[in-house]
């Protein structure tokens, strides 16, 4: 039987970091080595690729990182790589280095980069990683579960102090233009209202009146979760206090949501996605992304993946509205 071709594979992380990226890097490196390939870790995403900043990895290069937040390969958002010239230069560096394929771990911006490089003859596989969970082709992105748990833990703490003071806590949660993280965090913490960019809202109807109605049932502390994509959380805070008479404080959770040890869920999905990415390169495929559909790891053409839109979970939105009173 003919021996299958031994490949040289590059791996990089790109865009905003997300807990679980390290587990994905580990899976790519270990899978490649297990199958007899060589693997290079590229530092600082596409920016580092353009500077030819890479190093061959061995089994020990990824020891003890499966749970660690951040990314051992570092990450960056590269301006130069968005230009045609930059993309050609990156493809040349891959060829010069003898890379047969590249695994790109990141969000949809990183997938667009992978698509460009694939078109220039470097087969690329994307692995979805962003705390925003805003990639249409997958039900789940690496980083979401850990960020959600961090947000929930913080909001639980805010609830303690809000309760002691009969206050309202307005909590701004990350997500860029998407409200997935906010919706899940709001539902998981029993927020009286969760405001997300995907759904219109009215502050009087959806927050002030709800708080007033709830006060008549004997509740005097409140959590209001606001997705950062909604904006104006400071003004909202002031408005809520003026209209309800309840002392109101704003907490912007910020980048704390991007760090921390990856949850078990992240590690499992990241391991499966990293494995599948190497398998795809092995079978001669490029220009694809892996993802989760109906709880299974699958892969899809990048072009198609990038056209897919993701709505928020309608049932969870409804449940949050109806039972958080
Ligand atoms: O995409 C991940 C994310 O954390 C968003 O939720 C947030 O809007 C953005 O990145 C923050 O970007 P930066 O790290 O560049 O401040």
């Amino acid at each position: 039987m003919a021996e299958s071709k031994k490949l040289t594979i590059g791996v990089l992380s790109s865009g905003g970091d997300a807990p679980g990226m390290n587990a994905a890097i580990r899976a790519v490196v270990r899978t490649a080595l297990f199958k007899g390939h060589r693997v290079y870790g590229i530092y600082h995403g596409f920016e580092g690729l353009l500077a030819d900043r890479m190093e061959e990895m061995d089994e020990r290069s990824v020891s003890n990182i499966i749970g660690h937040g951040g990314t051992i390969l570092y990450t960056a958002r590269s301006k130069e790589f968005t230009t045609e010239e930059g993309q050609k230069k990156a493809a040349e560096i891959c060829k010069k280095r003898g890379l047969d394929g590249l695994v790109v771990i990141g969000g949809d911006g990183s997938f667009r980069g992978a698509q460009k490089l694939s078109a220039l003859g470097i087969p690329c596989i994307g692995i979805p990683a962003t705390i925003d969970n805003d990639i249409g082709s997958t039900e789940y992105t690496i980083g979401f579960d850990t960020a959600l748990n961090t947000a929930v833990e913080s909001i639980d703490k805010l609830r303690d102090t809000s309760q002691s003071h009969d206050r309202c806590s307005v909590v701004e949660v990350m997500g860029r233009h998407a409200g997935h993280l906010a919706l899940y965090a709001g539902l998981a913490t029993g927020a009286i209202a969760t405001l997300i960019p995907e759904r219109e809202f009215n502050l009087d109807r959806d927050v002030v009146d709800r708080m007033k109605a709830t006060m008549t049932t004997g509740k005097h502390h409140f959590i209001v979760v606001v997705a950062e994509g909604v904006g104006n959380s400071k003004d909202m805070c002031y408005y809520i206090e003026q209209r309800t008479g309840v002392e109101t404080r704003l907490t912007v959770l910020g980048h704390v949501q991007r760090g921390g040890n990856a949850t078990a869920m992240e590690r499992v999905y990241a391991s499966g996605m990293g494995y599948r990415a190497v398998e795809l390169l092995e079978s001669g495929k490029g220009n694809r992304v892996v993802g989760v559909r109906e709880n299974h790891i699958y892969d899809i053409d990048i072009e198609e993946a990038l056209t897919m839109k993701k709505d928020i979970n309608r049932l969870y939105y409804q449940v949050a509205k109806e039972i958080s009173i």
Side-chain angles (χ1 to χ4, degrees), residues 166-170 192 203-204 206-215 219-220 222 224 236-249:
D166 286 335
R167 278 177 177 162
C168 172
S169 254
V170 173
I192 186 92
L203 264 191
D204 284 312
D206 298 319
V207 182
V208 173
D209 294 350
R210 278 172 80 90
M211 282 173 64
K212 285 183 177 165
T214 303
M215 279 193 267
K219 177 170 162 149
H220 300 284
F222 306 92
V224 175
M236 273 179 202
C237 214
Y238 181 74
Y239 188 84
I240 292 168
E241 183 164 302
Q242 294 304 306
R243 300 298 284 251
T244 60
V246 177
E247 238 189 331
T248 303
R249 294 284 189 271

Side-chain angles (χ1 to χ4, degrees), residues 45 55 78 88 94 106 110 138 159 165 172 230 244 254 303 311:
E55 199 169 72
S78 172
K88 282 186 182 152
C94 290
S110 312
T138 182
R159 175 181 291 279
H165 289 265
E172 187 184 297
V230 165
T244 60
E303 251 83 15
D311 193 12

Side-chain angles (χ1 to χ4, degrees), residues 77 130-132 174-176 228 255 258:
R77 295 186 171 110
T130 161
I131 65 162
D132 304 337
M174 269 190 173
R176 202 180 292 271
E228 68 171 335
H255 285 80
R258 288 251 294 269

Side-chain angles (χ1 to χ4, degrees), residues 11 20-29 105 127 142 270-271 273-275:
V11 55
M21 276 183 162
N22 277 329
I25 294 166
R26 172 183 177 273
V28 171
V29 171
I105 305 167
I127 295 182
I142 294 171
S271 300
M273 290 196 218
Y275 187 89

Side-chain angles (χ1 to χ4, degrees), residues 62-284:
V62 290
S63 290
N64 261 327
I65 65 163
I66 192 166
H68 289 182
T71 156
I72 60 159
L73 293 178
Y74 300 86
T75 183
R77 295 186 171 110
S78 172
K79 265 220 169 89
E80 189 185 351
F81 187 74
T82 57
T83 66
E84 216 182 299
E85 217 170 276
Q87 290 152 10
K88 282 186 182 152
K89 182 176 161 193
E92 280 315 310
I93 291 171
C94 290
K95 284 177 192 159
K96 195 188 81 201
R97 283 286 197 161
L99 297 185
D100 300 296
L102 197 62
V103 179
V104 174
I105 305 167
D108 52 3
S110 312
F111 288 179
R112 269 186 279 277
Q115 176 193 25
K116 299 289 182 199
L117 273 184
S118 295
L120 291 166
I122 312 297
C124 291
I125 307 295
I127 295 182
T130 161
I131 65 162
D132 304 337
N133 202 19
D134 60 348
I135 298 183
S137 56
T138 182
E139 287 159 11
Y140 177 82
T141 60
I142 294 171
F144 178 69
D145 191 51
T146 305
L148 173 62
N149 278 285
T150 301
V152 167
E153 206 183 309
S154 308
I155 298 170
D156 284 347
K157 288 177 180 167
L158 288 169
R159 175 181 291 279
D160 291 344
T161 170
S162 300
Q163 180 163 16
S164 310
H165 289 265
D166 286 335
R167 278 177 177 162
C168 172
S169 254
V170 173
V171 191
E172 187 184 297
V173 170
M174 269 190 173
R176 202 180 292 271
H177 307 299
H180 306 284
L181 193 54
L183 173 61
Y184 278 57
L187 185 55
T189 56
I192 186 92
T194 301
L195 309 178
I196 55 175
E198 292 89 343
R199 294 290 183 272
E200 63 81 35
F201 61 85
N202 174 296
L203 264 191
D204 284 312
R205 181 194 65 204
D206 298 319
V207 182
V208 173
D209 294 350
R210 278 172 80 90
M211 282 173 64
K212 285 183 177 165
T214 303
M215 279 193 267
T216 65
T217 68
K219 177 170 162 149
H220 300 284
H221 65 278
F222 306 92
I223 301 288
V224 175
V225 172
V226 183
E228 68 171 335
V230 165
N232 292 330
S233 43
K234 199 167 172 210
D235 296 344
M236 273 179 202
C237 214
Y238 181 74
Y239 188 84
I240 292 168
E241 183 164 302
Q242 294 304 306
R243 300 298 284 251
T244 60
V246 177
E247 238 189 331
T248 303
R249 294 284 189 271
L250 172 66
T251 304
V252 178
L253 290 185
H255 285 80
V256 71
Q257 296 159 100
R258 288 251 294 269
N261 279 352
T263 63
M265 186 68 102
E266 310 282 17
R267 303 179 198 191
V268 170
Y269 278 132
S271 300
M273 290 196 218
Y275 187 89
R276 174 62 73 89
V278 174
E279 274 189 337
L280 287 166
L281 289 175
E282 247 189 338
S283 60

